[in-house]
Amino acid sequence: MMTSVGSSNGGGAPSGGSWISLQMLSCLDRLSRLPETARLVLCVAGIFVCYLVFGIFQEKVTRGSFGEHHERFTYATGLVFCQCLVGCLFAGGVLQIQPDVPNNAPAHLFAICSSTYVLAMITSNKALEYIAYPVQVLLKACKPISVLLLGVLLAGKRYSAQRYACVFLIVIGVGIFMYPSKDRPPKEVGSETFGVALLALSLVFDGLVGAVQEKINVFRVTSFQLMYATNAYGFAYLFAALLISGEGIAFGSFLARYPYVIWDIVGFSFVSALGQSFVFLTITNFGPLVCSLATTLRKFTTILLSIVLFGNHLIGRQWLAVFIVFFALLLESLSKRKKATATHLPGHQPTSSV
């Protein structure tokens, strides 16, 4: 059965909820008329600004302490629920204004894509209860490991020697970074290990998201159709999860005690949606290589900003590991330019390139 999830409704007048999206599309229209160099600078700056601010909001909420009792935020499901709600409204507003494009992708693909996306986001945010933010950023940047492993094991793909070398460098860098110091208490090491395990699970879900999106892309859905459907299903899943688990009541009570956190969550959710728009725009205008390089450098800058603003500390060995990982990520991005698609082993059906 086919679905029209995420299709636009043509030339109808935009509702009040789509006003922000209308203003953004107007800005993007003006942006398209600028010289190429100016467009590149603005696209990259948009990615940097949105996701650096995203990181500040995320660390402020998930790693902060609130009130006189220094209460911690422990509601990852509620946080991702808000992110999906804003993402759904944002993409839906854009689709109301854009020309109507049919969406013939099967509904079950969007449902699967959304479930893996939601699980990746929840485990990633939950990990921040146990590990420092720079650790989370560094390990989440290791997505090429999960993509390569899932590509080889599930899709039978074969990658270039350079891609394997890059992943090996990333593994070495992560090993150096995470190697425990002798003076750390066992309880702290155990807590961090659990956080790392959550991030590893998040990377697996990330890899599955990419695999499902490849199948969806066969139907030539637009970026905002995919964004809308993913967040709409995610909103439904998480609404049910909050009701069934009881976390919704606890989450609401936390926000009632500390209402100023609401603005941080709204800001976190909005810049996430806006950042995705700049990612789409960069890929459309300049290709995935430029976008990959921009997002890689942004992650490195996020680590630096976290250290400056939130007082996180890295020892010399960890700084070396950070440079190794991001050097490998840059090489991995460049390797995609030389070979955009992977060769498949005999007997396996080809899928979209990673």
Side-chain angles (χ1 to χ4, degrees):
M1 181 177 179
M2 312 305 275
T3 180
S4 58
V5 172
S7 62
S8 58
N9 45 4
S15 65
S18 64
W19 182 85
I20 293 177
S21 298
L22 176 61
Q23 300 307 310
M24 194 196 82
L25 284 179
S26 176
C27 291
L28 294 184
D29 180 62
R30 290 193 292 269
L31 178 63
S32 66
R33 302 175 188 177
L34 293 175
E36 184 178 17
T37 302
R39 279 188 286 124
L40 175 61
V41 171
L42 286 175
C43 286
V44 173
I47 291 175
F48 263 75
V49 171
C50 286
Y51 283 109
L52 288 177
V53 174
F54 170 87
I56 292 172
F57 279 130
Q58 186 179 34
E59 183 165 9
K60 188 177 178 182
V61 172
T62 59
R63 296 290 296 171
S65 57
F66 304 92
E68 59 182 12
H69 299 296
H70 303 287
E71 188 175 355
R72 293 286 303 275
F73 182 90
T74 58
Y75 310 103
T77 303
L79 183 63
V80 180
F81 169 79
C82 294
Q83 189 176 0
C84 285
L85 173 61
V86 173
C88 181
L89 294 174
F90 188 94
V94 173
L95 290 174
Q96 284 188 342
I97 302 161
Q98 282 185 330
D100 188 31
V101 178
N103 179 359
N104 297 316
H108 74 274
L109 287 181
F110 288 118
I112 296 171
C113 180
S114 180
S115 64
T116 52
Y117 166 78
V118 163
L119 290 170
M121 292 298 295
I122 289 176
T123 49
S124 176
N125 282 285
K126 193 69 177 177
L128 286 170
E129 296 178 24
Y130 306 96
I131 58 176
Y133 195 74
V135 178
Q136 192 251 27
V137 175
L138 182 74
L139 295 182
K140 283 290 286 183
C142 299
K143 185 177 176 180
I145 298 176
S146 63
V147 170
L148 185 142
L149 289 176
L150 290 173
V152 171
L153 297 176
L154 300 183
K157 293 183 178 181
R158 181 178 294 154
Y159 298 91
S160 66
Q162 186 175 355
R163 292 286 294 277
Y164 285 107
C166 291
V167 169
F168 179 73
L169 271 179
I170 293 172
V171 172
I172 293 297
V174 170
I176 294 172
F177 188 94
M178 297 304 302
Y179 188 79
S181 303
K182 295 180 179 178
D183 56 347
R184 294 182 63 194
K187 184 177 180 180
E188 182 180 331
V189 173
S191 177
E192 187 175 77
T193 300
F194 183 68
V196 171
L198 286 174
L199 277 179
L201 191 58
S202 177
L203 287 173
V204 172
F205 288 129
D206 268 336
L208 293 174
V209 170
V212 179
Q213 284 181 350
E214 288 182 355
K215 297 183 181 297
I216 293 175
N217 288 338
V218 172
F219 298 91
R220 298 187 181 278
V221 300
T222 69
S223 298
F224 284 105
Q225 285 174 337
L226 177 60
M227 181 178 174
Y228 174 79
T230 301
N231 283 285
Y233 276 105
F235 171 81
Y237 293 151
L238 294 171
F239 182 76
L242 289 172
L243 286 180
I244 294 171
S245 68
E247 183 177 320
I249 297 175
F251 178 53
S253 298
F254 181 90
L255 295 181
R257 290 193 299 275
Y258 312 107
Y260 54 88
V261 179
I262 295 174
W263 297 109
D264 292 331
I265 293 176
V266 171
F268 162 84
S269 303
F270 177 73
V271 294
S272 172
L274 188 60
Q276 288 182 57
S277 301
F278 277 109
V279 167
F280 299 153
L281 188 65
T282 303
I283 292 174
T284 300
N285 283 271
F286 305 103
L289 173 63
V290 172
C291 185
S292 179
L293 292 174
T295 54
T296 298
L297 292 174
R298 189 278 306 171
K299 291 170 186 174
F300 180 76
T301 309
T302 296
I303 292 178
L304 297 180
L305 199 61
S306 176
I307 291 170
V308 172
L309 294 182
F310 295 95
N312 291 301
H313 175 70
L314 299 182
I315 61 177
R317 165 175 56 81
Q318 290 176 316
W319 276 115
L320 173 63
V322 168
F323 282 109
I324 290 174
V325 168
F326 282 97
F327 175 71
L329 289 172
L330 289 174
L331 289 181
E332 198 263 348
S333 297
L334 293 172
S335 74
K336 292 179 182 177
R337 184 181 186 182
K338 296 179 180 179
K339 191 171 184 178
T341 58
T343 305
H344 290 73
L345 294 173
H348 288 80
Q349 293 297 321
T351 58
S352 304
S353 61
V354 175

